[in-house]
Amino acid sequence: MTMIGQALNRVDGPLKVSGKATYAYEHWVDGIQPLYGFVVGATVGTGRITRVDTARAEAAPGVHTVMTHHNTQPQGTPDLAIPFEYWRAFPALSGPDIHHYGEPVAFIVAATFEQARAAAQLVDVEYAGGPGSYDFAAAQDQAYTPESLILGIPADTAVGDFDAGFASAEVTIDQRYTTPCVLSQPLEPQACLVVPRGEDLVVYASAQIVDAARSSVANTLLMDPKHVHIVSPYIGGGFGSKLRIHYETILAALAARALGRPVKVAVTRQQVFHLTAVRPMANQRMRLGAGRDGRLVAIAHNVTMHTSRHSEYVEPTATTTRSLYAAPNRSTSHRMVPLDLVRGEDVRAPGEAPGMLAVESAMDELAHELGMDPVELRILNEPKVDPERGVPYSERKLVECLREGARLFGWERRNAEPASMRDGRWLVGYGMASAIRVHLQAETKVLVRLGPDGAAVVRTDMTDIGTGTYTILTQVAADGLGLPPDRVRVELGRSEFPLSAGSGGSWGAANTSTAVHRACAALREKVLATACGDARSALHGRDAADAVFADGSVSIDGASESLSDIVARDHPEGVEAEGEILGMSDEPNYRDYAIHTYGAHFVELGVDADTAEIRLRRMLGVFSAGRALNAKTARSQLIGGMIWGVSAALDEELVIDQDTGGFVSRDLAQYLLPVHADIPDLDAVLLEGFDDKANVLGAKGIGELGICGAGAAVANAVFNATGVRVRDFPITLEKVLPGLPPMDD
């Protein structure tokens, strides 16, 4: 029986539930007590440090050093020739200028965490504050066009004549949707332990991309990368916030190198808000033009978002619209407004998550205006080829997701008239939305080794951010070598292992599994070549093309020999092979096909007729992502994304202090997230599929698919329940309450 696709329990589960899985902050150096670091952040949003007095902090109990821009070692500066910023230098305490609230202005290193934190309160910093720009709405006139999006994708696209098509449309929608700054909140905050060893630094970090962490540390500290060793075997969630290392790791590395002692840093939950990065706030204008029959004739998605004045980040928010629905006249654009805020970085499903809040809300508005079923409107506008690239889709099952989701959910029970369905004092609403997420591929290598005992070891610097990488790679290797899962050991997250693209962009599982599959194929060839050519083997002289690897043995035409016997006899030191995949720019399929994943969300919720309290009642997602590598972890990933979509629609918002640029909501008491009671009945269904254009395994990424469109389904259900259309996210009580219909007693 093939292992790929089975709902195998997590192989690392026992380690995690027993507390034996070692995360970044939990590493120790035998016989050496580490020092502890604590970051002191700026209390102004822009300006310049004019005086910093560290005398009291330096005299505090346990303090070993206080670092400021006056005594920090020389550091590298970001090299813009490096295409991805996560690999660039990330200097800290490199000068007196303040770029955003909370930026490090000092770093305390003490014998204990408590001593470091206490001493941090004793650092006296004075600033010459400059005028900061923190108001997104007030700075719209400063918007500019970025050179491009990630991977060189154009910032703007145009097909046909949008203005003419929109003007000729019988029915039009022209609305703006606004989304706030939000950020990742992994269970494990950013943390590290940095250990100096001669010329080397060993960095135990919570890093989604090991190579990016290694390169960034080396480029910042002006070191040869061969002297930087990253260790990241377990990560307590990332969601984009650990694609790059941040200030805590650089500061710990600088201090460890200067003091010759290991240094630990754990960022507090409050510090996460200013020491990591955010999804930019955005103003999205959606224009849809259609005939009375519902066929789109024009579609435009124009996005204006904020960016740090000192570090540009362009979220590809409008790119979703380029592939989702057919329309002959099209326009998309991205514009940037520079502000003096924390830098922007990737947050789960960058681009698709906020973009689909707007696209799928607008499609619901069009369906209401036309008096059409929202599901049928989407199916009517299903494209035959990618509407902007003109290439065929590799595997597109959006219509199947819509049909199956409507059937399973009982969509036919929906009443299209807003505020017409009631359950006592609750207004009941149904909403739905489509989902689409681009599938990406990046260069990845894996080494698989068979020992003389017949057990396999898989090595790659790929990481597991809690998504099940250990389990999936175990399944692929077990399948490829005909071994039971307990005869496979997967080792991840070390910079000495073969290079991967890490966990991010929903590409990690498909990338690494494909490389493991190829490594196992190469390993089988080596084993068969020696066995079939060895007169001592039962397989001697037989045709290797007929070989079957199963149950730890190799069989050909009735003859069989165990893998352990073959390896022990012919490869007493073990035998290994490497598997590799190329980046998508070198794979013709990514040029010749539009390769995406798809889904459909369905929501039922209630809105209290007196208070406007919104309560999710049930939610269903039906998805298509090629072949599932593990049915259990796939469903888990999709459900997690759906919950995040609910959160984006109803809860998450960073409130900005317009005097300082700091975030007022900077803890989990004020930055709201759903809890268990908010998510009562939720299910995800993954359709069977196999996308042979994506890779040889037919699998595509799902980590970010679940969030795409989920929030719009919630918003559309709120409208169906109340008749109130909220276009400024999140949807809160005060935005719904004034428009609630009167209730009869």
Side-chain angles (χ1 to χ4, degrees):
M1 181 180 70
T2 180
M3 284 302 305
I4 297 176
Q6 297 300 311
L8 184 69
N9 289 335
R10 298 203 180 203
V11 299
D12 53 334
L15 290 175
K16 289 185 174 179
V17 299
S18 64
K20 295 178 181 178
T22 308
Y23 292 83
Y25 195 71
E26 298 171 330
H27 287 277
W28 296 93
V29 183
D30 291 341
I32 304 177
Q33 180 65 29
L35 302 175
Y36 292 82
F38 195 88
V39 178
V40 180
T43 55
V44 298
T46 186
R48 188 177 180 86
I49 298 171
T50 57
R51 185 180 73 89
V52 55
D53 185 348
T54 62
R56 288 198 303 153
E58 289 170 341
V63 171
H64 283 246
T65 189
V66 179
M67 294 167 49
T68 71
H69 69 279
H70 290 300
N71 61 351
T72 303
Q73 305 162 36
Q75 299 169 69
T77 56
D79 182 358
L80 299 185
I82 298 174
F84 296 107
E85 73 157 310
Y86 301 136
W87 277 256
R88 298 172 188 163
F90 192 76
L93 301 178
S94 57
D97 293 331
I98 302 301
H99 305 104
H100 64 82
Y101 185 96
E103 182 177 5
V105 295
F107 184 62
I108 313 294
V109 181
T112 69
F113 171 79
E114 291 77 13
Q115 288 173 332
R117 182 170 60 179
Q121 309 303 313
L122 304 178
V123 177
D124 185 14
V125 184
E126 293 181 0
Y127 307 92
S133 178
Y134 315 118
D135 190 332
F136 180 55
Q140 295 292 297
D141 60 344
Q142 298 177 33
Y144 68 90
T145 304
E147 288 187 13
S148 67
L149 310 180
I150 189 172
L151 300 174
I153 298 170
D156 298 356
T157 61
V159 175
D161 187 336
F162 170 77
D163 291 334
F166 191 71
S168 68
E170 295 175 292
V171 180
T172 61
I173 298 294
D174 186 350
Q175 297 291 353
R176 290 185 180 273
Y177 305 86
T178 57
T179 52
C181 281
V182 299
L183 80 168
S184 303
Q185 282 291 351
L187 185 62
E188 175 204 26
Q190 279 68 18
C192 67
L193 166 65
V194 181
V195 181
R197 289 180 179 164
E199 293 185 69
D200 293 1
L201 284 179
V202 181
V203 181
Y204 299 90
S206 192
Q208 291 180 235
I209 307 176
V210 166
D211 186 57
R214 181 184 203 174
S215 297
S216 187
V217 170
N219 289 332
T220 306
L221 272 64
L222 304 174
M223 296 177 63
D224 187 326
K226 71 181 182 183
H227 292 302
V228 177
H229 309 277
I230 305 296
V231 183
S232 189
Y234 296 101
I235 300 170
F239 314 113
S241 70
K242 298 171 183 176
L243 287 171
R244 73 156 311 128
I245 51 88
H246 289 94
Y247 288 118
E248 79 288 338
T249 306
I250 294 300
L251 291 169
L254 289 166
R257 206 177 185 196
L259 296 171
R261 291 277 301 276
V263 176
K264 276 191 175 188
V265 183
V267 173
T268 68
R269 182 62 64 180
Q270 291 78 14
Q271 288 177 321
V272 166
F273 288 78
H274 293 111
L275 293 180
T276 57
V278 300
R279 188 194 300 280
M281 68 188 91
N283 182 329
Q284 305 180 55
R285 184 184 182 188
M286 284 299 311
R287 286 173 287 172
L288 303 175
R292 282 289 171 192
D293 63 354
R295 293 189 183 276
L296 289 168
V297 296
I299 182 169
H301 190 176
N302 308 111
V303 182
T304 303
M305 73 190 78
H306 99 270
T307 183
S308 163
R309 190 181 306 281
H310 305 283
S311 178
E312 182 183 85
Y313 170 76
V314 188
E315 186 164 24
T317 307
T319 54
T320 292
T321 308
R322 298 174 184 178
S323 295
L324 187 51
Y325 298 121
N329 304 293
R330 319 174 64 86
S331 173
T332 69
S333 66
H334 297 80
R335 299 292 180 269
M336 312 303 296
V337 173
L339 297 177
D340 297 301
L341 295 176
V342 171
R343 68 176 58 218
E345 285 182 358
D346 294 333
V347 175
R348 193 174 194 175
E352 287 94 346
M356 295 204 74
L357 277 171
V359 176
E360 290 299 287
S361 293
M363 284 293 284
D364 196 71
E365 297 205 43
L366 179 60
H368 179 71
E369 185 69 22
L370 290 165
M372 285 188 69
D373 182 283
V375 173
E376 298 305 321
L377 175 64
R378 287 163 172 81
I379 293 173
L380 181 68
N381 288 285
E382 173 72 1
K384 291 182 172 58
V385 297
D386 186 284
E388 298 204 10
R389 294 178 58 202
V391 298
Y393 293 100
S394 60
E395 179 200 45
R396 182 174 168 112
K397 293 186 176 181
L398 177 56
V399 171
E400 289 90 332
C401 292
L402 292 164
R403 293 283 191 215
E404 182 66 2
R407 184 187 70 82
L408 293 173
F409 188 77
W411 181 252
E412 72 279 0
R413 297 194 296 269
R414 168 186 177 268
N415 191 324
E417 181 64 28
S420 62
M421 295 190 293
R422 300 187 179 185
D423 179 11
R425 300 297 298 177
W426 291 89
L427 300 164
V428 178
Y430 282 22
M432 60 78 53
S434 296
I436 186 173
R437 163 74 189 175
V438 65
H439 175 71
L440 305 171
Q441 179 171 305
E443 184 177 353
T444 295
K445 294 181 180 179
V446 169
L447 183 73
V448 179
R449 178 180 179 80
L450 272 172
D453 60 352
V457 177
V458 178
R459 289 195 177 108
T460 171
D461 75 358
M462 171 66 178
T463 53
D464 190 330
I465 54 177
T467 51
T469 306
Y470 282 102
T471 306
I472 290 168
L473 298 189
T474 296
Q475 290 178 256
V476 175
D479 197 71
L481 296 173
L483 293 172
D486 61 5
R487 299 291 288 165
V488 176
R489 185 174 78 251
V490 176
E491 299 179 358
L492 302 176
R494 299 187 72 98
S495 52
E496 285 70 33
F497 293 165
L499 187 71
S500 79
S503 298
S506 290
W507 62 26
N511 279 350
T512 317
S513 295
T514 302
V516 169
H517 175 80
R518 291 179 175 173
C520 290
L523 200 50
R524 290 197 306 269
E525 289 184 7
K526 288 187 177 182
V527 169
L528 286 169
T530 54
C532 294
D534 189 339
R536 297 169 294 173
S537 172
L539 307 179
H540 178 249
R542 297 181 183 268
D543 187 353
D546 298 326
V548 176
F549 285 68
D551 301 321
S553 296
V554 186
S555 301
I556 305 177
D557 295 333
S560 180
E561 188 173 15
S562 71
L563 264 178
S564 57
D565 285 347
I566 296 172
V567 176
R569 182 187 62 243
D570 297 330
H571 306 278
E573 302 301 320
V575 58
E576 62 188 32
E578 191 172 80
E580 179 180 8
I581 64 168
L582 302 176
M584 55 194 292
S585 60
D586 297 316
E587 288 281 6
N589 281 349
Y590 286 84
R591 178 195 66 225
D592 299 337
Y593 295 90
I595 305 178
H596 297 84
T597 55
Y598 305 93
H601 298 276
F602 295 84
V603 167
E604 178 187 338
L605 53 73
V607 180
D608 188 285
D610 296 315
T611 67
E613 176 188 359
I614 301 168
R615 301 299 299 178
L616 186 71
R617 292 187 165 199
R618 61 192 179 101
M619 186 174 186
L620 170 70
V622 177
F623 303 96
S624 170
R627 182 188 192 185
L629 297 171
N630 181 305
K632 182 176 290 188
T633 58
R635 181 176 178 272
S636 177
Q637 281 290 284
L638 292 167
I639 284 175
M642 292 166 67
I643 293 170
W644 198 325
V646 174
S647 184
L650 301 179
D651 297 308
E652 293 187 60
E653 178 180 19
L654 283 170
V655 179
I656 300 170
D657 181 342
Q658 294 299 321
D659 291 328
T660 66
F663 297 127
V664 176
S665 47
R666 59 171 181 255
D667 58 38
L668 296 186
Q670 298 179 73
Y671 183 83
L672 302 182
L673 299 169
V675 296
H676 284 84
D678 296 318
I679 311 293
D681 185 5
L682 187 150
D683 196 13
V685 175
L686 187 60
L687 300 180
E688 289 190 11
F690 191 98
D691 193 335
D692 63 348
K693 305 300 186 297
N695 50 62
V696 68
L697 294 176
K700 294 182 286 192
I702 59 172
E704 295 164 295
L705 176 60
I707 189 177
C708 299
V714 174
N716 296 337
V718 170
F719 173 75
N720 182 245
T722 64
V724 179
R725 181 73 70 179
V726 178
R727 303 182 182 92
D728 177 33
F729 293 95
I731 302 171
T732 54
L733 304 184
E734 64 271 19
K735 297 172 186 176
V736 177
L737 188 60
L740 286 182
M743 289 283 283
D744 297 328
D745 293 330

